[in-house]
Amino acid sequence: MSDVLRLPPSGSFVGEVRKVVAALAEGGFVVLPGECGYLLACAPLDAGSTEEFLADETSAPTLLLSHPDAACDYVGHSQWSGPASRLSRRCWPGPVLLRFSGPAGDA
């Protein structure tokens, strides 16, 4: 079952954020609008939802990171050094979408 949350015009989204967090904590998926398109989110520490999320081979997973240096943990130093690192540092904390050829083990 899917629910559509309507954001109140008051600008206070505390209740809606709690519903999103609860859905993720229960192993569900959430679709969020972003400046780079819509994002399908799941809780990365929930093995069941992560496996289901990664089972769809038609799209690569997207990670939302809090700092540019965190990307190195996922794509490996060889892919992260150079232009990708410089670009992300110039754009952060704005919306930046970088695509890599694969995880650290595949590079």
Side-chain angles (χ1 to χ4, degrees):
M1 180 175 88
S2 61
D3 294 328
V4 176
L5 299 178
R6 305 280 182 215
L7 299 180
S10 66
S12 176
F13 311 126
V14 174
E16 287 73 16
V17 170
R18 286 187 178 140
K19 289 178 185 177
V20 168
V21 170
L24 293 173
E26 293 171 2
F29 296 96
V30 177
V31 177
L32 302 167
E35 293 186 23
C36 297
Y38 286 94
L39 304 169
L40 175 64
C42 72
L45 300 179
D46 183 316
S49 65
T50 304
E51 288 176 14
E52 186 178 344
F53 184 79
L54 295 175
D56 179 10
E57 296 179 7
T58 61
S59 62
T62 300
L63 299 171
L64 301 178
L65 304 172
S66 61
H67 190 273
D69 292 336
C72 191
D73 294 338
Y74 297 96
V75 297
H77 182 71
S78 63
Q79 290 190 68
W80 187 243
S81 61
S85 178
R86 287 192 303 273
L87 176 65
S88 69
R89 288 180 189 287
R90 289 181 182 150
C91 295
W92 229 282
V96 181
L97 179 62
L98 301 172
R99 295 188 187 245
F100 294 92
S101 61
D106 295 346

